[in-house]
Amino acid sequence: MASTKPLCLPRCGFPRRTPLCRSKTDRLAKGSECYQKSLSLNPFLWSPFESLCEIGEKPDPDQTFKFTSLQNFSNCLPNSCTTQVPNHSLSHRQPETVLTETPQDTIELNRLNLESSNSKYSLNTDSSVSYIDSAVISPDTVPLGTGTSILSKQVQNKPKTGRSLLGGPAALSPLTPSFGILPLETPSPGDGSYLQNYTNTPSVIDVPSTGAPSKKSVARIGQSGTKSVFSQSGNSREVTPILAQTQSSGPQTSTTPQVLSPTITSPTNALPRRSSRLFTSDSSTTKENSKKLKMKFPPKIPNRKTKSKTNKGGITQPNINDSLEITKLDSSIISEGKISTITPQIQAFNLQKAAAGLMSLLREMGKGYLALCSYNCKEAINILSHLPSHHYNTGWVLCQIGRAYFELSEYMQAERIFSEVRRIENYRVEGMEIYSTTLWHLQKDVALSVLSKDLTDMDKNSPEAWCAAGNCFSLQREHDIAIKFFQRAIQVDPNYAYAYTLLGHEFVLTEELDKALACFRNAIRVNPRHYNAWYGLGMIYYKQEKFSLAEMHFQKALDINPQSSVLLCHIGVVQHALKKSEKALDTLNKAIVIDPKNPLCKFHRASVLFANEKYKSALQELEELKQIVPKESLVYFLIGKVYKKLGQTHLALMNFSWAMDLDPKGANNQIKEAIDKRYLPDDEEPITQEEQIMGTDESQESSMTDADDTQLHAAESDEF
Amino acid sequence: MGGVKETNILKMTTPNKTPPGADPKQLERTGTVREIGSQAVWSLSSCKPGFGVDQLRDDNLETYWQSDGSQPHLVNIQFRRKTTVKTLCIYADYKSDESYTPSKISVRVGNNFHNLQEIRFLASLRWVQISSFSSEKFVISDHLKPSSLNSSKSFSIQLCSVAVKELRFFGEEEQLELVEPSGWIHVPLTDNHKKPTRTFMIQIAVLANHQNGRDTHMRQIKIYTPVEESSIGKFPRCTTIDFMMYRSIR
């Protein structure tokens, strides 16, 4: 796969830098290998799993999220703090070195890193040091896991990974000195306490942020770092965690849902918030130690300066894998609680139980996510719906389900689910671009404008918000403004494929096909599995009547998403245009089987049959369609044409007039022409009269009157 | 067919004031047309400094173009490629512009400056409300050919036993006459086959102003193209959301 794809993968922020650089520089095979490795080393990681799904590989959740890789379990514990291994650089800059270091890295990483807990201390510091290779830290010398010693080392962290996202060297350097990021050098009280916390309670705090803020786009953070203007509260501390984030398990993954929030707090900061959520929400896990949780946590909370307000509209941790965090937190809390009062054996036992529970949850979610990424949507919905309710009712899960419905073209359901998400987590920005497109399809302009206003108010730096705004204006047919907003989304995050796709669609609507082509191609460059962009390319070629190219692109889109009936429908039409009518019919039949509710498939099937002169079957199809969609003027139009061909002029006329009634503004011309043409071959007197009357009428006349008149005159002519 | 029961002679009155048309924004919202002025290069035959193309195209009805030369005053719209144009919307307001308000406009299309041809308008003359005198219906059997209208644009028609709701008379003319306009004027640009014209260039010529003014004010001009039909197939647009939902992947 890697060799054939000329395009780079979207950023997959990943604590294990190597896969990130791999995927960025298009060595997909290597990249996925690294992800697999990291998963095998630490199965609690969610982000590599996610990235694998998005690349298109199909990791087996059962295999991955197994409890058997216990030899590394101790490494997976929150206890083992993470040392930030020198990021072999900005892998994006030195891909070769990274390449060679890979095998070493992963092992080393495993020992030293956990999921980036300390996002905070990432970046900055020694960006220069960051260039130091692995030689600096040899695997053997670094002690495993816990220990404050590691903590201190930790401080020297190097910027994490691959921030290849961070565009280039310049990105790092300004970060280091100027923004007081160096936690040790310019400790803000919070930081200090944080550190102290670390030293005081070696056991926890670092929650393995496996699923953690997975969506923190590293890139974004990187960008936000460079443009520090983002941090609105001038709180220097704010910047730190942001930068830190980059380090974190910032799995930067999917192109679609990306959270761009400069004020993403680090996982650790979120800790107190999470814990408070634990207390307040009903979703506390059923672990027996929940009581202990309460006991142990409160003392911690004051230590942290909770920057709860820093999130503009907070998209933060909570959004991502809420449930995961809670359970993780749980396990960490448990372990922490236990340490003081319980013996190590019991502690270990509880840890194992926690881990087992966590694993099973990860398995389920993994299965669901995998199904969704392979566009096996019905199954994804099924799996995810079976999650226990406190996990189900979280933003992430519901967003995935909403997206599954969206891919199935069941926009009503999707809308329902997304509005639920908005109700539960109204600060969530990720995944909202899908909601905005759903509303666009349903043409709910009020809801869409409310959504876009909310999102842009909450977070002006997220591409999702600008995509929603663009969709809103596109629905109002103000394409220039929509284009402006989509371009803004791209500016805010150049690696967000969906923004390119939407921009492409707008250009198509304004007839600037070349620009549209460029946009779709950009989207594919960013994410080769973005089937919407392939579809867009196909559409453009179809408009330009380059049917075989169109078919090829639609086919590519279909390969990625085989369940889409809309795609199949388009392919059918293109095949028909290429004169392959048999195949077209087959494709359309397939489409109807997959999704019987799609009226367009039936409509196109009827039109293909009509073109092939199978009038009876076309009529039958259309009659069925009339039952499904009684108010659609196109249906009557086509029925009218069929009758005209069959010579039943009265029925044809009747249907044409119905069609015109149902569509007063748009299709008048075509329908009128159809009516006029119908009369041309006839030479009867009364009918020519009618024709003239029709001909002289201009569009100002109401269609109702037209229909009435013609019928009236027809009736009269009969009398004479 | 129906004997003559009563005859009535009707006289066309002189044209009343040009009624204002609908706001073009409404037109855009229907989704059937799209404004494409931004895809063209606009130029004017003359203008007063500060009252030029920008003011003509700024979506602001308070600002206007003021010409500064001899008649005819021209607005040239040149497209990069041959474009289908359906409607031209001109905003003119007699109350605010008085003698600067255009009264006679000619629209020409073509490939370049040397190749322009006037568009013939189906200009509807005035409405005449005819009261019904009997309940018999009567069919009007042929067009009135343009030649049958005399130049003063008044004529009489004999109608027999008519119960008519509306009567409209259409003549083709080459110049658009405006009489004290007070809003948007929609000018349909159609070719001989009643379809929207396809052209590289449009030239709007102001031939005369009200009260014989020399210069003209034009507040806003918008040019519309018909929106392409549905994304797939050569069918007209769908009307229901159910169809439109499945029409494309976004």
Side-chain angles (χ1 to χ4, degrees), chain A residues 441 471 477 498 505-506 510-511 532 535 542 570 598 604 631-634 663 667 670 692 696 700, chain B residues 28-29 31 34 39 81 141 143 168 228 231-233 236 238-240 243 245-250:
Chain A
H441 276 287
N471 268 332
R477 309 198 203 269
Y498 198 44
H505 282 298
E506 284 310 300
T510 48
E511 298 290 315
N532 309 42
Y535 163 83
Y542 179 84
H570 278 68
N598 184 344
H604 283 298
K631 296 231 168 175
E632 176 57 56
S633 77
L634 275 188
D663 182 16
Q670 279 213 7
Q692 287 173 336
T696 50
Q700 287 141 6
Chain B
E28 277 183 54
R29 296 243 172 77
R34 195 166 48 86
Q39 287 178 13
R81 41 173 198 237
S141 58
H143 306 268
R168 290 193 206 178
E228 287 292 300
S231 61
I232 259 286
C238 335
T239 49
T240 52
F243 252 55
M245 267 180 2
Y246 290 100
R247 203 174 48 165
S248 65
I249 292 180
R250 190 169 165 92

Side-chain angles (χ1 to χ4, degrees), chain A residues 628-662:
Chain A
I628 301 177
V629 193
K631 296 231 168 175
E632 176 57 56
S633 77
L634 275 188
V635 174
Y636 295 102
F637 177 66
L638 194 55
I639 296 182
K641 282 175 83 161
V642 174
Y643 278 129
K644 177 176 152 190
K645 274 286 168 85
L646 285 176
Q648 297 179 25
T649 49
H650 263 34
L651 285 171
L653 180 59
M654 193 167 75
N655 281 291
F656 282 140
S657 63
W658 282 338
M660 269 184 9
D661 284 348
L662 286 170

Side-chain angles (χ1 to χ4, degrees), chain B residues 13-227:
Chain B
T13 54
T14 48
N16 293 328
K17 300 196 183 154
T18 315
D23 188 356
K25 281 273 191 254
Q26 305 285 0
L27 212 52
E28 277 183 54
R29 296 243 172 77
T30 61
T32 49
V33 291
R34 195 166 48 86
E35 217 267 321
I36 45 162
S38 51
Q39 287 178 13
V41 175
W42 294 69
S43 56
L44 305 167
S45 60
S46 61
C47 76
K48 183 169 146 185
F51 295 87
V53 179
D54 293 331
Q55 284 68 33
L56 187 60
R57 290 286 304 158
D58 61 359
D59 245 341
N60 182 355
L61 297 176
E62 307 297 323
T63 59
Y64 50 83
W65 162 50
Q66 177 167 326
S67 64
D68 190 24
S70 57
Q71 287 177 353
H73 306 297
L74 309 168
V75 181
N76 305 305
I77 308 172
Q78 289 168 287
F79 295 100
R80 260 178 259 132
R81 41 173 198 237
K82 206 162 195 182
T83 324
T84 318
V85 289
K86 189 174 179 197
T87 315
L88 183 63
C89 290
I90 301 177
Y91 188 85
D93 186 12
Y94 182 69
K95 289 207 181 43
S96 30
D97 293 325
E98 299 272 331
S99 66
Y100 286 95
T101 321
S103 67
K104 222 187 248 188
I105 296 184
S106 157
V107 178
R108 300 112 180 229
V109 298
N111 292 337
N112 50 47
F113 282 100
H114 309 290
N115 201 357
L116 296 171
Q117 256 191 316
E118 280 191 334
I119 284 208
R120 302 172 74 80
F121 302 115
L122 281 180
S124 80
L125 306 176
R126 291 302 142 241
W127 277 104
V128 178
Q129 190 77 8
I130 306 171
S131 37
S132 62
F133 296 95
S134 87
S135 56
E136 259 195 41
K137 294 174 195 159
F138 188 83
V139 173
I140 299 175
S141 58
D142 24 318
H143 306 268
L144 295 166
K145 301 253 183 330
S147 53
S148 63
L149 297 175
N150 62 23
S151 55
S152 65
K153 296 208 197 83
S154 72
F155 52 90
S156 50
I157 304 175
Q158 277 193 326
L159 295 172
C160 313
S161 51
V162 175
V164 173
K165 211 166 55 173
E166 298 175 340
L167 251 194
R168 290 193 206 178
F169 295 94
F170 293 95
E172 284 195 344
E173 41 177 47
E174 282 156 5
Q175 285 153 18
L176 189 63
E177 290 246 356
L178 304 176
V179 182
E180 296 188 16
S182 54
W184 286 99
I185 318 281
H186 294 247
V187 181
L189 302 172
T190 50
D191 59 10
N192 297 333
H193 309 286
K194 316 263 175 42
K195 287 249 192 73
T197 328
R198 282 183 58 78
T199 177
F200 274 101
M201 175 167 174
I202 302 179
Q203 185 179 72
I204 303 170
V206 177
L207 304 172
N209 293 316
H210 279 78
Q211 301 168 13
N212 279 327
R214 186 184 82 129
D215 285 323
T216 183
H217 280 176
M218 248 199 230
R219 294 186 170 257
Q220 197 69 356
I221 300 186
K222 289 189 187 281
I223 179 104
Y224 288 100
T225 186
V227 168

Side-chain angles (χ1 to χ4, degrees), chain A residues 516-530:
Chain A
L517 274 175
C519 286
F520 287 129
R521 293 205 176 111
N522 266 325
I524 291 180
R525 170 181 61 84
V526 168
N527 180 4
R529 285 198 88 232
H530 195 60

